[in-house]
Each structure stands twice: as structure tokens, then as C-alpha cells.
Amino acid sequence: MNKDAIPGAAPADDRAAVIRQDLQNVLHPVVPHRQLEAEPLVIVAGKGSTVIDANGAEYLDAMAGLWCVNVGYGRTELADVAAAQMRVLPYYPHTAINAPAAALAERVNGLMGGDNHVYFVASGSEANEAGFKIARQYMKHEHPGHYRYKTISRYLGYHGTTHATLAAGGMGDRKTKFEPLSGNDFVHVAPPYCYRCPFGLAYPSCELACVKNIEATIQGEGPDTVSTLLVEPIMSGVGIAVPPDEYLPEVAALARKYGCLLHVDEVINGFGRTGKMFAHQHSGIRPDIVAIAKGLVSAYLPIAATVVKNHVFQSFVGEPSENRQVFQISTYGGHPAAAAVALRNIQIIVEEGLVARSAENGAYLLDGLRTLMKHPWVGDVRGKGLLAGVELVRDRRGKEVLPADRIKGVVDFARKNGVIVGRSGGGRHLGNTITLSPPLVITRPEIDRVVAVLDKAIAEMGAALGTPS
Ligand SMILES: Cc1ncc(COP(=O)(O)O)c(C=O)c1O
């Protein structure tokens, strides 16, 4: 690639001009601006699991962007589908019917058992937020005279960036700058983060103390104030916390017992990421509300959805005079071009067997990552499908968390060696897990490269730290 040519860059037409244009005009998310000034990364193209920067350097993207490019980069057929739809109907609000959104809803419904309706929005945050609101409205319809409004969610969870989804989340670092958030409508319980069990217990002798904690919280809050239990089946952002197999069925049983709705966040977990089409399908439970985004369209366009079981949908069906309809709208919800692309994206996932591939290559990845336990600074390796975490500690016995700059050093080393890995967002103090969520099309030789580069990166970090006594 010509070092100075940047596709799509106008009026600036070379790397230095684009960087100047960006730094003088763009307010970026999350990344410190001084860091961007020092190490500007301009990504210009991608193919399969690889992205290319403006210098022509290639990186194996073991994070699939932001846990989302499930079918990999460079699927020009998805661009063709978008262009064809935009020529016919670029947009119309979803108060009316459009064909791509109807077809996509049918497809998604079919993948989740066929007894659902699908409410479209534009991002994972909105999908969760719509879930909270649908649950509250449902409770007002179904329990007149009472108001069940609280959502019970977990510390260390992440469910989005809006005010309410941040409040539902339990990641301190993401929240502190904006606190106080909402009142007592989001109540937190202990997460099933077994490596650092909040109760200091170990599975199975813990007898799922984290589930008992949920029940105690429902009782403490008063069941008639609780609308939903919110869970991400495998907690991604904190560093891939995989709960015991019984956890989700037991949470589902609690929701049934206390008449709450079970709201499952499949924003990252969905569309093959964990080796099933949806992570809740590992345990066979049927949630009342499911938030989907990212892999729904492999991030080729913004579209997301809140999928509700028909018993919830029925609560919103009525004559105009009854005012039972969903009382919110998102301009881009049901966007025809995004829906057409999502439909084709799902077809690719199914036709290419990417869900089974995620399960098989995920097991291969995990085997590879387990070899890293030879380093004394690797405390834990865990994952399911192509979603994995390597937790780094000062020493395995004490599990002391390493300083952020050490973890950043591992991520930077990997990038300099051509592999992009992520790191956990953490709570107020946990940012020490290397996260992996590659495109589902990643090949075994590419997986070997990820493991080999991490091996070197951890060895380098460890050499600077010294061997624990
Ligand atoms: C589990 C989970 N839920 C929701 C969201 C929010 O999605 P979005 O960034 O599309 O709003 C994210 C984002 O990473 C997520 O990881």
C-alpha cells in the first residue's frame, strides 16, 4: 500500500494531514488524547481478521474491533446489500412497516425459538435501555396499582454508556465521573466472578452463594418493587467471567419465583461469539427480554434490538384508546439498509458454520492460552467459544492485581508485534485481564500467532517485574 494514500480521506489526502485534521477536530472516546497524539493509529482497511494502518502495517485484530466484527472485515457483499437497499428505500420511520426489518425480525425470532417480537434500535446501550423501559411499562400494565421498577444487576457488569445503562452496570471506573446516577432503581449484587469470588469461596462448595445473594436482594428490596433481573451470560468487559453452568438456570428460576422478567444482555455474547448462536442457549433457558447488537450486523452498520417473548409483547397489544403501545421511538430503529445488511450477515454466519467454528476454534484458542500458565504472572485463563481472558497477577498465590501500566505494556507489545488484544475495563481496580474476541473466521495459524505473541509479551513484562517469590 502506498504509505501516503488513505482511502476515503478527503480533503486531507495523506497520513499526516488526516492525523492533524483529526486531532484538531475530533473528541475521541475513552483513549487519552495525549496518547493519541503520541501514538496515532489510523486504520484504513481490513480483510478477514486483519486490519491495515496508514503506514501499510498489518495487525491481526484479536478483538474484532470492539468485540463486534464477527464475520470479519472486507465482506464487500454486505456493502452491495446496503447500496442496493439505499437505492430503493434509504429510510422510513419504523412507525410504518419496511420489508428488510420485517425479514430480519422473523430471522432473529426464529433463532430464539419463534415466540418473540423484535424492537429495533441503533446500539447495544439503547437495546438494554429499551429493555428496562419495556419491563417497567409491562409491570404497570400487568400489576395496576403497584409499581415494579427496579432492575437487579451485577457489580463489574457493563451494559452500555447511557445514563440508565451505566447505572445498571457495575464498573466503577466507567461511572465515577458521572455519579450520582439515578436513584435506587438499579440495585447491584455480587457477580459470578469465580477467580475472585466476592464471598471468598470456591466452586462447587460455594453452593452458588452469588445466586443466594440475588434472592436475598430481591427479598430485601421487596419483590413487588423489582421488574427485572439483568445478566450478561458471560461477563465480557470485566475480563470474561464464565459462571458455573447452573448459574443462569438458577437465576432464571429466581425470576420465575418472584415474578420478575429475566433480561439477558447478548450484545457481545450473541451471534456465535461463545460457540452457540446465543450464550443463554448453552443452558436452554428462555429469557423474557434479550438485548442484541454487535454481531447482529458484525458492525457493518449500526443496528441493535430488544427481543421480547410474546407474553411480554401481548401486554403492548391493544386498541388505540387503551394506550398500551411501546412509548418510545428511536429515529434509526428498523433502518432498512442496516436491517438488510444484518439479515445477510446472519446468513453468512449460518451458511459458513461460524457458530460451530467458534466452538471448535475457541477450544483450540483456550488450549493455546493455557500453555501461558507456564508464566508465574498468569493467574487464570478462561473463556467459552471465541471469547477468552488471560488474567495477569503479581503472583499466583496472592492474586495481586498488577499496575495498569504493566498491562498496557503487554497490550502495546502485542500491537507492536502485529496483534491487537484488549484488556478488561475492570471495576474500580480490576483492569488486569487480557481479553480476546477475534472475528469468528480467525484461522488456527492466526490463533497460534496470537498465543505466540502473548507468550513473548508476558515474558517481557515478567522479566521487568522479576519472578515472584
Ligand atoms: C455487554 C454489553 N452490553 C451493552 C453494550 C453497549 O453497546 P453499545 O456500545 O453498542 O451501546 C456493550 C458495549 O460494549 C456491552 O459490552
Side-chain angles (χ1 to χ4, degrees), residues 356-414:
R357 188 162 158 177
S358 169
E360 287 155 18
N361 282 348
Y364 182 78
L365 170 66
L366 215 50
D367 281 347
L369 294 175
R370 286 198 180 108
T371 65
L372 302 178
M373 292 293 287
K374 70 184 180 208
H375 298 292
W377 312 280
V378 175
D380 194 27
V381 170
R382 49 189 183 250
K384 209 168 182 100
L386 283 167
L387 185 62
V390 178
E391 182 152 353
L392 301 175
V393 290
R394 189 175 290 279
D395 75 290
R396 208 171 274 161
R397 211 163 354 113
K399 299 185 182 176
E400 188 188 333
V401 172
L402 288 167
D405 60 329
R406 295 286 179 199
I407 311 297
K408 182 175 179 303
V410 172
V411 174
D412 290 349
F413 180 100

Side-chain angles (χ1 to χ4, degrees), residues 2-211:
N2 171 357
K3 176 171 167 307
D4 290 333
I6 297 192
D13 60 358
D14 63 33
R15 182 178 182 275
V18 167
I19 292 169
R20 209 167 37 247
Q21 188 181 50
D22 181 291
L23 294 176
Q24 286 173 5
N25 296 283
V26 178
L27 176 59
H28 283 268
V30 180
V31 59
H33 271 244
R34 290 279 177 268
Q35 186 181 315
L36 255 190
E37 285 166 18
E39 315 159 7
L41 177 65
V42 185
I43 296 293
V44 297
K47 182 96 189 133
S49 299
T50 299
V51 291
I52 303 167
D53 76 10
N55 292 322
E58 296 195 355
Y59 305 87
L60 179 48
D61 180 9
M63 277 302 291
L66 208 49
W67 328 72
C68 51
V69 188
N70 287 18
V71 298
Y73 296 91
R75 300 276 190 169
T76 53
E77 66 193 287
L78 294 181
D80 296 340
V81 167
Q85 179 58 43
M86 283 185 197
R87 283 193 192 95
V88 179
L89 177 72
Y91 175 74
Y92 198 77
H94 218 194
T95 43
I97 291 170
N98 77 67
L104 177 61
E106 184 185 57
R107 192 75 168 100
V108 167
N109 183 20
L111 294 173
M112 273 191 221
D115 55 350
N116 310 281
H117 277 69
V118 182
Y119 177 78
F120 285 112
V121 290
S123 70
S125 302
E126 280 180 84
N128 279 322
E129 185 125 357
F132 306 151
K133 290 166 77 181
I134 286 171
R136 289 178 183 210
Q137 192 178 337
Y138 167 89
M139 291 296 176
K140 281 203 167 171
H141 292 171
E142 302 303 314
H143 302 282
H146 294 268
Y147 190 24
R148 300 186 66 147
Y149 63 97
K150 291 176 191 164
T151 293
I152 294 184
S153 54
R154 284 95 50 93
Y155 285 112
L156 304 181
Y158 182 72
H159 299 289
T161 194
T162 59
H163 195 97
T165 53
L166 259 192
M171 277 196 173
D173 293 348
R174 300 260 171 107
K175 296 166 74 160
T176 43
K177 302 262 189 191
F178 316 109
E179 285 171 330
L181 296 168
S182 45
N184 68 340
D185 38 358
F186 294 96
V187 182
H188 294 86
V189 293
Y193 185 174
C194 298
Y195 181 65
R196 295 182 186 279
C197 174
F199 304 99
L201 300 172
Y203 178 79
S205 58
C206 64
E207 296 181 351
L208 294 189
C210 46
V211 175

